Amino acid sequence: MILRGVFVLAVRTMSLLGFIFLLLAAVGPNRAAAQQPSKASEMASGEVTGILSEALGKPIAGATVSLVEPDGSTKAAHSDGRGQFAFRHLVNGTYLVRASDSSHKPVNQSVVLDTSKPSAKLVLTMEALQPLTMAVAAQRLDIARNALSPETGGVAYRFNQEAIHKLPAGANTEMSQVLAQAPGVSLDAAGQGQDQIHIHGENGGGIQYRLNGVFLPDVVSSYGGMFSPRFVRSLTLLTGVLPAEIGFRNEGIIDVRTKDGCVDGGTANNNVDIYGGQRSTFEPSFEYGGCKGRLSYYTSGYYSQSAVGLASPTSSPHPKHDQTYQGQGLANLSYLINSQTRLSLLTGIAINSFQIPPEPGLAPEFTLAGTPAYPSAWVSEGQFEQNYYGILSLQGTLGTKASYQLSAFSRYYALDFLPDQVGDLIYNGNASRIFQSGFVNGIQEDTSYRLTETHTVQAGLYVSGETIETDNHALTFPANADGEQTSSVPISIVNDNNSVAWVVGLYAQDAWHPLPNLTINAGTRWDWVSGVVTQNQVSPRVGFEYSILPQTVLHGGYARYMKLPPFQSVALETVQKFANTTNAAATSTGNDKISAERDDYFDFGIRQGLLRGLSIGADGFFKFGHNQLDLAQFASSQVTAPLNYRKSRSWGSDLSITLQREKLSAYLNFSYTVLQAQNITAGQFLADDPDEVAYVARRWVILDDVQEFTGSSGIAYQIFGFLLTTDGLWGSGYRRGDGNTGELPPFLQINAGIVRTLKLPWFGDVEARGTVINLFDHGYQIRNGTGIGVFSPQYGPRRTFYGGLKIPLAPITGLMTR
């Protein structure tokens, strides 16, 4: 009844807003018709308009603009927030335009109006009185770069440094847990989703990371993360109808703007942070940056170790064999070639090592010669991951109308799964040493040009080539046609594959402002991929944003998507090599040609400002999909690979409420999602039961990565010098059982933190932080080992206490140099 009431209220609200829109549209023409020009205005119909800006294109607001008329008289005006000014009802003649303010050198320009040229539009560039500093140049070039990423028609949820700092663990929070605070995002266990999250229940490897506007392909089968919140200046999650600029992966866009040394470095921000606590957790980190001449430099890194690296297979707070060692580093260097051009190099590394905790108490499934007893709690698997990446960008502005960014990028990753040969053979019938690697190189170019006052066009391209290697050296037992073991002596199977994947994308789009309060972003892109299969698609997009009232903004649109599959797929040849073994797939036939997913996506939403600092946003979406992508494990190995469903359908809604006051900030998100699919048409051998494949072939099933309802919330409050903060995650439970027909129990996890800045001798301002994860020690199960493509149970974290000190670097370096 509550949902029905909310739906009725939403329909009535939309009807009222539609009536207001029609009323305004009707009043507009009548008002225009009533304004009849007088004879005087017909005789003096000339005009002089223009824009004032600095060398980097930043508008100059509040400047005094004088117009000296042919008879020597003077008119005065001021530039608005966009740097625009206008003088109208002018007669023919020669005019002099003067512009000045307190921080720029004056500028003059003459203009002639006559019958052939009754109007003139000027672009006046004013030189700053003070030299342009690196910090100012960096900020303005960042503004120009941000203009290359329009968001019209979609939904943007933003985290800045302050928002990350207000989380219970602050910048020590994992990136996946930061993103889980956004509406529509659900947190999963490592290995069950790309970067441990799902956006609206999707799990097709379609999350896209963009670093400073550049798409950097991300591996989808790793346990560890590649990016840390420490080096984030701003983090934006984009969903819904995405502009034509965005291609290849569309489940969600994680747009990261990294810190800059000139803006975010220096004495006040350079620090070391010592963080740790229970479960043998120790996590030191540092940040260091600054300016030197035209050079800006920023670097950040951390090392982390813990006795709980992956989700425990039991509810115990002390899982066995679950140690992890992780490290990340990032460097952002930029050089200001001139006031309008910057060359930057962004490079990073992430190395992660994981032990994989065993599930105790299992009964042996197979017999290994010479090993009479081997408890499942002894099984010791591991995984080692390496990531290296670099982005070289030339970025700048051309006058006041054009901006561009040309980038070359490179990324190498390697994943090495280390089995327990004895334990895996006894309990899985297979022990595979698996190595996967990929080396991708490419270029991306984006250009934006303000064609007229109402049209800003943008175009760009993306080209990449990736070499992919998969080596599988497996031990398994011979078996009969029914899968029964026929020998206790294992045999060796080697399955090595190499491939090359090419990706090309072109796009063009136009941001059109037909009305001051209406923006329409329309465009199209063409994508081509040659990997497991060769495909291409033309994808039109259109989105709008309309401010019907100062505090009321509507958005919506339509997008055609082509989502590329992960290139690390399982070939039918691999399946056939394991025929008549204990690692044989339950379904040994099928199609191994994984296709790109093709979607028609619709979105509509509203943002409403209410009381001071309080706003609410609601968004609804619907998707029709073909060749729906999903990820699953191959047999009993740790290989994650994609499969296709012939068709899918998805719908849902997100609700977000935020409150921002001087000392109080709070948010509450609630999401409803349904994602159904039918008929596995490629990768059938990834399902663990042929009856399940037959069941899905004729019925709609909810995919296993969907939680129908999810929620997140947080509150941060400043009082007596303390920052008190708490956040929470709630979910209705992931799917379970044959055909994903069941649902796990709901879960709730509350985290809390307290932060205080202390003044200490020699060290200055030191920030102390205390954190509690799962404050009420609510034990819950994320997965129970059932569902399509799910093989192991996993539990959420138990209550854990952490603490940390953030110490400024300046006093430390000063003591070292004495």
Side-chain angles (χ1 to χ4, degrees):
M1 293 297 292
I2 295 175
L3 290 176
R4 180 180 178 184
V6 171
F7 178 78
V8 172
L9 178 60
V11 171
R12 291 178 177 176
T13 303
M14 292 298 101
S15 301
L16 177 60
L17 294 176
F19 173 78
I20 295 173
F21 175 79
L22 293 175
L23 181 61
L24 293 174
V27 172
N30 293 334
R31 182 181 299 174
Q35 295 176 349
Q36 299 295 333
S38 65
K39 291 184 178 181
S41 64
E42 290 177 348
M43 295 175 61
S45 58
E47 65 177 17
V48 174
T49 61
I51 297 176
L52 293 179
S53 64
E54 295 181 343
L56 293 177
K58 179 185 178 182
I60 299 175
T64 300
V65 184
S66 301
L67 181 74
V68 182
E69 300 191 71
D71 60 3
S73 60
T74 302
K75 292 183 177 180
H78 291 86
S79 57
D80 62 14
R82 297 182 178 180
Q84 299 175 345
F85 63 87
F87 297 96
R88 294 186 172 86
H89 308 305
L90 305 177
V91 298
N92 294 339
T94 301
Y95 293 83
L96 179 65
V97 178
R98 296 173 178 171
S100 63
D101 71 355
S102 59
S103 58
H104 298 84
K105 295 180 180 179
V107 63
N108 301 327
Q109 184 168 330
S110 61
V111 62
V112 177
L113 302 182
D114 55 30
T115 305
S116 62
K117 186 184 177 183
S119 63
K121 185 175 181 179
L122 308 179
V123 177
L124 304 180
T125 301
M126 300 180 68
E127 182 181 352
L129 292 173
Q130 298 295 327
L132 185 67
T133 66
M134 273 291 294
V136 173
Q139 289 177 316
R140 294 176 188 173
L141 284 168
D142 284 341
I143 292 173
R145 178 169 57 196
N146 291 344
L148 295 172
S149 300
E151 302 168 0
T152 303
V155 181
Y157 197 90
R158 296 178 176 84
F159 300 87
N160 55 21
Q161 294 181 56
E162 181 182 4
I164 293 174
H165 179 262
K166 289 179 178 179
L167 294 174
N172 302 291
T173 309
E174 293 183 6
M175 184 70 84
S176 59
Q177 295 171 358
V178 174
L179 293 169
Q181 303 302 318
V185 180
S186 60
L187 190 64
D188 205 341
Q192 295 289 357
Q194 185 183 357
D195 296 319
Q196 303 180 46
I197 62 172
H198 305 292
I199 301 174
H200 293 143
E202 300 276 358
N203 188 29
I207 296 175
Q208 178 178 153
Y209 279 88
R210 296 173 73 88
L211 291 182
N212 294 338
V214 180
F215 167 42
L216 190 67
D218 183 25
V219 65
V220 301
S221 57
S222 62
Y223 288 146
M226 207 170 88
F227 308 113
S228 167
R230 291 177 180 85
F231 62 73
V232 170
R233 177 193 291 174
S234 67
L235 175 67
T236 304
L237 173 64
L238 297 172
T239 62
V241 173
L242 303 171
E245 175 189 356
I246 306 296
F248 314 122
R249 295 182 176 179
N250 58 274
E251 291 176 7
I253 309 304
I254 301 171
D255 189 12
V256 178
R257 304 290 166 167
T258 60
K259 292 180 179 178
D260 179 276
C262 288
V263 180
D264 306 294
T267 304
N269 298 303
N270 296 339
N271 64 81
V272 293
D273 192 344
I274 308 298
Y275 187 77
Q278 288 183 289
R279 318 288 186 253
S280 301
T281 302
F282 178 59
E283 189 170 307
S285 63
F286 76 94
E287 292 183 76
Y288 185 78
C291 283
K292 189 173 183 179
R294 291 176 174 263
L295 177 67
S296 169
Y297 56 91
Y298 172 83
T299 182
S300 174
Y302 80 91
Y303 164 80
S304 175
Q305 67 178 45
S306 174
V308 182
L310 300 178
S312 174
T314 71
S315 59
S316 169
H318 304 285
K320 297 180 180 297
H321 193 74
D322 199 9
Q323 187 73 35
T324 182
Y325 303 94
Q326 303 177 47
Q328 286 185 21
L330 174 133
N332 185 17
L333 307 174
S334 63
Y335 183 79
L336 193 66
I337 298 175
N338 56 47
S339 62
Q340 294 184 315
T341 311
R342 176 173 59 183
L343 181 67
S344 63
L345 173 65
L346 181 67
T347 181
I349 180 174
I351 298 179
N352 308 306
S353 174
F354 293 92
Q355 293 179 337
I356 299 175
E359 184 179 0
L362 297 179
E365 296 287 337
F366 305 95
T367 302
L368 175 64
T371 308
Y374 198 91
S376 63
W378 292 4
V379 177
S380 56
E381 301 170 331
Q383 186 158 296
F384 182 66
E385 305 167 357
Q386 303 175 71
N387 285 279
Y388 310 89
Y389 59 91
I391 302 173
L392 180 66
S393 298
L394 180 67
Q395 182 253 332
T397 60
L398 301 173
T400 61
K401 291 189 175 183
S403 60
Y404 65 90
Q405 179 167 287
L406 173 63
S407 303
F409 60 87
S410 182
R411 176 169 184 256
Y412 173 80
Y413 70 87
L415 182 152
D416 200 355
F417 172 73
L418 308 173
D420 180 324
Q421 291 190 346
V422 174
D424 284 356
L425 282 169
I426 292 175
Y427 291 96
N428 297 328
N430 172 69
S432 295
R433 171 71 183 268
I434 300 171
F435 175 81
Q436 290 184 340
S437 69
F439 186 38
V440 59
N441 297 276
I443 60 172
Q444 178 180 315
E445 197 281 333
D446 299 280
T447 299
S448 177
Y449 183 76
R450 191 173 64 193
L451 188 63
T452 67
E453 286 298 311
T454 58
H455 289 274
T456 299
V457 296
Q458 186 176 337
L461 64 88
Y462 174 96
V463 180
S464 71
E466 182 175 1
T467 58
I468 303 153
E469 178 183 359
T470 301
D471 301 334
N472 184 359
H473 295 200
L475 293 175
T476 187
F477 295 114
N480 59 26
D482 295 328
E484 298 174 347
Q485 182 181 359
T486 59
S487 172
S488 62
V489 178
I491 61 175
S492 175
I493 295 177
V494 176
N495 181 61
D496 296 343
N497 293 289
N498 295 279
S499 60
V500 177
W502 290 94
V503 175
V504 178
L506 303 171
Y507 77 91
Q509 61 192 31
D510 176 24
W512 176 36
H513 298 272
L515 298 171
N517 55 348
L518 174 63
T519 301
I520 299 175
N521 193 313
T524 189
R525 66 176 295 117
W526 174 76
D527 295 315
W528 176 86
V529 58
S530 178
V532 179
V533 297
T534 299
Q535 295 176 276
N536 72 90
Q537 177 175 295
V538 175
S539 304
R541 316 273 178 87
V542 59
F544 75 90
E545 187 171 282
Y546 182 61
S547 300
I548 58 176
L549 294 171
Q551 296 292 320
T552 307
V553 180
L554 299 178
H555 73 267
Y558 162 81
R560 176 71 168 159
Y561 292 131
M562 178 183 178
K563 183 167 67 179
L564 303 188
F567 296 126
Q568 296 84 2
S569 60
V570 175
L572 189 58
E573 178 185 359
T574 299
V575 177
Q576 294 170 347
K577 283 186 177 182
F578 286 94
N580 298 319
T581 72
T582 52
N583 193 45
T587 303
S588 59
T589 60
N591 175 22
D592 62 356
K593 304 300 182 184
I594 305 298
S595 299
E597 180 181 331
R598 304 176 188 269
D599 299 323
D600 291 284
Y601 196 96
F602 303 86
D603 184 274
F604 183 80
I606 183 172
R607 297 194 304 272
Q608 176 67 58
L610 300 173
L611 304 175
R612 180 175 62 90
L614 178 65
S615 64
I616 183 171
D619 185 76
F621 65 90
F622 198 98
K623 183 191 86 169
F624 297 98
H626 184 70
N627 291 329
Q628 172 76 34
L629 288 166
D630 196 19
L631 299 179
Q633 288 177 270
F634 171 54
S636 58
S637 73
Q638 294 295 320
V639 174
T640 300
L643 55 82
N644 282 133
Y645 291 86
R646 180 178 299 280
K647 56 183 178 179
S648 64
R649 59 192 184 189
S650 178
W651 63 90
S653 59
D654 298 325
L655 176 68
S656 177
I657 302 173
T658 59
L659 174 64
Q660 188 67 47
R661 297 285 174 84
E662 183 179 354
K663 295 183 178 182
L664 173 67
S665 61
Y667 60 89
L668 174 64
N669 303 314
F670 182 80
S671 297
Y672 164 70
T673 300
V674 175
L675 173 57
Q676 298 176 332
Q678 186 180 85
N679 192 5
I680 302 176
T681 55
Q684 295 92 335
F685 36 80
L686 295 174
D688 56 352
D689 187 349
D691 292 335
E692 200 168 52
V693 175
Y695 178 86
V696 174
R698 58 183 184 273
R699 292 179 176 88
W700 288 101
V701 296
I702 299 176
L703 297 191
D704 63 281
D705 302 297
V706 175
Q707 293 193 84
E708 187 174 10
F709 299 102
T710 58
S712 61
S713 62
I715 300 175
Y717 186 64
Q718 296 272 3
I719 182 171
F720 303 128
F722 289 90
L723 171 64
L724 307 179
T725 172
T726 181
D727 66 23
L729 296 175
W730 174 80
S732 60
Y734 285 109
R735 310 304 297 180
R736 62 174 178 83
D738 295 338
N740 299 335
T741 53
E743 190 175 34
L744 289 169
F747 72 88
L748 174 66
Q749 179 179 317
I750 302 294
N751 311 313
I754 181 171
V755 185
R756 176 67 187 266
T757 299
L758 309 172
K759 287 189 177 294
L760 299 182
W762 297 294
F763 290 102
D765 291 339
V766 174
E767 181 183 275
R769 180 184 294 268
T771 306
V772 185
I773 301 300
N774 198 350
L775 178 64
F776 301 106
D777 201 24
H778 171 62
Y780 61 93
Q781 194 173 49
I782 305 173
R783 301 282 188 171
N784 73 344
T786 65
I788 300 174
V790 180
F791 292 90
S792 60
Q794 292 162 315
Y795 283 77
R798 299 295 297 273
R799 181 167 54 213
T800 314
F801 293 89
Y802 301 104
L805 292 175
K806 181 184 288 187
I807 306 169
L809 268 174
I812 298 176
T813 55
L815 289 172
M816 294 174 61
T817 57
R818 288 180 182 177

